[in-house]
Amino acid sequence: MVGRFKILVVDDELIVRESLVGWLKKGGYQVDTAAGGREAISLLDQKDFDLVFLDIKMPDLGGIEVLKHIRVRYPQTMVVMITAYGSVETAVEAMKSGANDYLMKPFEPEQLTLLVEKLLQQRRIIEENLLLREQVAASEQVRYGDLIGSADCMQRLFDLIEEVAAVDSPVLLRGETGTGKELVAKAIHSKSGRRYGPFIPINCGGFTETLLESELFGHEIGSFTGAVRAKKGRLELAQGGTLFLDEIGEIPLKMQVDLLRVLEEKKFHRVGGTRDIPVDFRLISATHRDLAREIEQRNFRQDFFFRLNVIDIEIPPLRKRKEDVPLLADHFLKKFRRETNKPVEGIEADALELLMSYEWPGNVRELENAMERSVVLAKGRYLRKEDFAFLFRATAVPEEPRSLQEMEKRHIHRTLKSCGWNISRAARILEINRTTLHNKIRKYRLDAVERETDGRP
């Protein structure tokens, strides 16, 4: 590995060149030398170098001038300015001109070792990230709206979305939590003839039966305690557009009957009302449940299922398209770098390997959360494998059997921590509403647990 790195030593003093070359070759590096600035530029224009030791004062052409040439022509090359006449002003000028480091003669072997290893590591990371970005930029087909994926299964999904968008039939999206069902629904809507109409989503699992009925159908004044004004439901709001019913498997049986009637008759009336309201929307629904099993267990109506399942689309889990992990990780890194203004430039290769080896039970949403956490807590310019160790700590050691309540408490606490205690984000991941989450935080005293964990009073 070390032998692949090429280093150029530029100094007009023979003794300096010989001592540096001898030391670097002992370390296994490929080394060339130049006795002046012009010879250095000639060599740089002929060969690629990873690192250049560059004397500041040389008779034919000064080191700062050579440095400026390198920064224009070979910006990724690491440069260490060396001099026997050091001063603060000289060091500042060198660093302002783009030097990566500054070294005073004579050199300490231990200091040289650390410096070369550090700079060549930076060079390697820059190369890897450039390669990754080139791959991302060269692959326009990896993006489809907000969906990202180069895997064959994702390319088939993008093709299917194109076909499905051209018709107006109901669509049922099936996929594990976190696979991006709502993004697929939005993509279908944005490609369809209804794209200029509204896209109205609702998570059917986030409401009680009474509230869900009011949210979907709306209500009239006085239809129940607290109904002080008439309210349009999501069915009305979706007029001319697309209604997205997420977690359709959570809808109570009675409401399945009501919705089936709406789909067949294209009209409904608000809660407490008698006036028929005509509706015209495209229905896309989604579930992570096995609806065939729910039908067998009489939790879901078969006739309703047939009405929803005219077009069936299965969204692949992330573990079945691991080749997309680097693309997605890079996408989320850029997103959270913008949002947090943290100077994180990339991900080290062994950290990417770690992400590729993980099974991602929470799918893309879990990867997004992991990237957000790592960017927020990053200490350097590149994310290291240590920054993702939390993923494996959570699953590496089998836990002793615990009560259902204890498991729920631990899961909610872990989710809140991974989201930096962002209640809205945690509620979305847990697929419960904010009120329910606040109730559970109070029930399990999770805010007190967090203070104790952090050592706060």
Side-chain angles (χ1 to χ4, degrees):
M1 183 69 179
V2 166
R4 84 172 179 85
F5 290 117
K6 302 181 184 69
I7 299 176
L8 175 63
V9 175
V10 187
D11 199 300
D12 59 329
E13 294 183 72
L14 177 62
I15 189 169
V16 173
R17 295 199 303 274
E18 287 181 343
S19 64
L20 269 175
V21 168
W23 178 85
L24 290 167
K25 285 193 171 177
K26 277 184 187 174
Y29 300 106
Q30 300 178 43
V31 189
D32 284 296
T33 62
R38 297 191 190 285
E39 184 184 355
I41 288 177
S42 175
L43 277 171
L44 283 160
D45 290 343
Q46 295 171 41
K47 298 173 67 174
D48 291 328
F49 291 97
D50 300 291
L51 172 62
V52 178
F53 282 95
L54 185 57
D55 192 18
I56 290 181
K57 288 194 175 181
M58 291 181 288
D60 62 338
L61 187 64
I64 296 294
E65 293 305 310
V66 180
L67 174 61
K68 289 176 180 174
H69 176 84
I70 292 173
R71 282 293 159 260
V72 171
R73 302 282 297 273
Y74 316 106
Q76 312 307 331
T77 301
M78 299 285 123
V79 178
V80 177
M81 303 305 291
I82 54 178
T83 184
Y85 310 99
S87 67
V88 173
E89 291 76 16
T90 310
V92 169
E93 183 184 6
M95 300 306 281
K96 277 186 174 178
S97 299
N100 298 94
D101 219 315
Y102 183 85
L103 207 56
M104 288 285 295
K105 301 175 189 176
F107 312 122
E108 293 293 333
E110 187 175 323
Q111 183 187 19
L112 271 174
T113 302
L114 292 174
L115 182 59
V116 170
E117 288 178 353
K118 181 188 81 173
L119 293 178
L120 291 180
Q121 170 74 355
Q122 285 183 17
R123 164 79 177 181
R124 184 175 65 82
I125 292 169
I126 289 170
E127 283 180 347
E128 290 167 352
N129 280 278
L130 281 173
L131 180 63
L132 178 61
R133 286 172 188 172
E134 285 171 5
Q135 289 171 344
V136 172
S139 305
E140 283 299 319
Q141 70 275 21
V142 305
R143 293 193 67 101
Y144 190 92
D146 290 329
L147 294 163
I148 294 175
S150 64
D152 290 346
C153 57
M154 291 303 288
Q155 295 300 307
R156 287 195 294 273
L157 176 63
F158 299 162
D159 292 341
L160 189 54
I161 290 172
E162 289 280 347
E163 294 176 17
V164 167
V167 297
D168 214 25
S169 306
V171 177
L172 177 63
L173 304 175
R174 293 183 294 109
E176 297 176 10
T177 298
T179 48
K181 295 186 285 292
E182 184 163 343
L183 294 182
V184 173
K186 285 180 178 174
I188 294 171
H189 171 74
S190 66
K191 293 284 181 179
S192 74
R194 294 180 178 272
R195 58 185 174 277
Y196 300 114
F199 176 84
I200 303 295
I202 180 169
N203 185 336
C204 301
F207 299 90
T208 63
E209 182 172 350
T210 304
L211 280 176
L212 180 61
E213 183 179 28
S214 175
E215 283 295 320
L216 282 172
F217 292 86
H219 60 253
E220 299 290 357
I221 297 175
S223 54
F224 53 84
T225 303
V228 294
R229 62 177 64 89
K231 175 188 171 183
K232 288 184 178 180
R234 308 288 176 106
L235 301 181
E236 262 182 283
L237 295 174
Q239 285 282 15
T242 300
L243 177 66
F244 175 55
L245 299 180
D246 198 6
E247 299 305 343
I248 191 79
E250 310 302 317
I251 286 188
L253 284 167
K254 175 187 175 300
M255 205 168 299
Q256 293 174 29
V257 177
D258 296 338
L259 280 172
L260 180 61
R261 187 174 300 123
V262 174
L263 294 175
E264 290 177 345
E265 299 179 1
K266 304 290 185 188
K267 61 184 181 182
F268 73 103
H269 56 79
R270 295 176 184 167
V271 175
T274 55
R275 178 175 63 91
D276 283 341
I277 300 173
V279 285
D280 173 28
F281 57 78
R282 191 209 188 142
L283 179 65
I284 301 177
S285 48
T287 182
H288 70 280
R289 290 183 181 274
D290 181 348
L291 290 186
R293 179 178 296 176
E294 297 296 321
I295 292 169
E296 286 178 6
Q297 295 176 349
R298 300 181 182 280
N299 295 324
F300 208 82
R301 291 180 62 96
Q302 191 173 47
D303 49 1
F304 187 47
F305 172 75
F306 287 146
R307 197 72 185 87
L308 300 175
N309 193 36
V310 176
I311 298 173
D312 173 55
I313 296 178
E314 183 168 7
I315 304 171
L318 188 53
R319 64 179 175 278
K320 291 189 177 178
R321 54 182 187 110
K322 290 266 187 87
E323 61 268 49
D324 287 342
V325 169
L327 293 170
L328 290 161
D330 185 67
H331 167 74
F332 291 130
L333 184 145
K334 290 172 182 169
K335 172 185 173 184
F336 294 121
R337 181 173 59 201
R338 285 194 302 272
E339 290 182 3
T340 62
N341 203 28
K342 296 268 292 193
V344 182
E345 296 181 16
I347 309 169
E348 291 188 357
D350 50 1
L352 264 182
E353 287 177 13
L354 196 71
L355 296 181
M356 295 279 283
S357 71
Y358 187 62
E359 285 301 299
W360 299 108
N363 292 294
V364 179
R365 186 179 296 155
E366 185 183 12
L367 173 59
E368 180 178 9
N369 294 338
M371 290 303 300
E372 181 177 8
R373 180 187 193 277
S374 300
V375 171
V376 168
L377 301 179
K379 302 298 183 190
R381 294 164 61 196
Y382 295 91
L383 299 181
R384 305 159 305 158
K385 63 180 181 181
E386 292 84 349
D387 295 319
F388 299 101
F390 65 93
L391 291 169
F392 295 83
R393 280 199 297 271
T395 56
V397 180
E399 293 190 356
E400 293 294 321
R402 297 178 186 278
S403 70
L404 191 58
Q405 279 205 348
E406 181 62 21
M407 292 294 287
E408 183 181 62
K409 174 183 175 182
R410 283 170 171 249
H411 181 60
I412 292 172
H413 188 213
R414 191 158 53 229
T415 303
L416 285 164
K417 283 176 75 71
S418 73
C419 297
W421 279 77
N422 182 317
I423 299 296
S424 297
R425 180 178 288 276
R428 286 199 300 273
I429 293 171
L430 293 166
E431 298 185 349
I432 57 179
N433 60 44
R434 287 167 50 90
T435 303
T436 303
L437 180 54
H438 277 297
N439 289 338
K440 289 186 182 295
I441 290 171
R442 279 194 293 274
K443 174 183 176 183
Y444 295 128
R445 299 183 65 249
L446 291 176
D447 49 349
V449 171
E450 185 68 10
R451 285 198 299 272
E452 289 166 9
T453 303
D454 289 350
R456 289 181 280 129

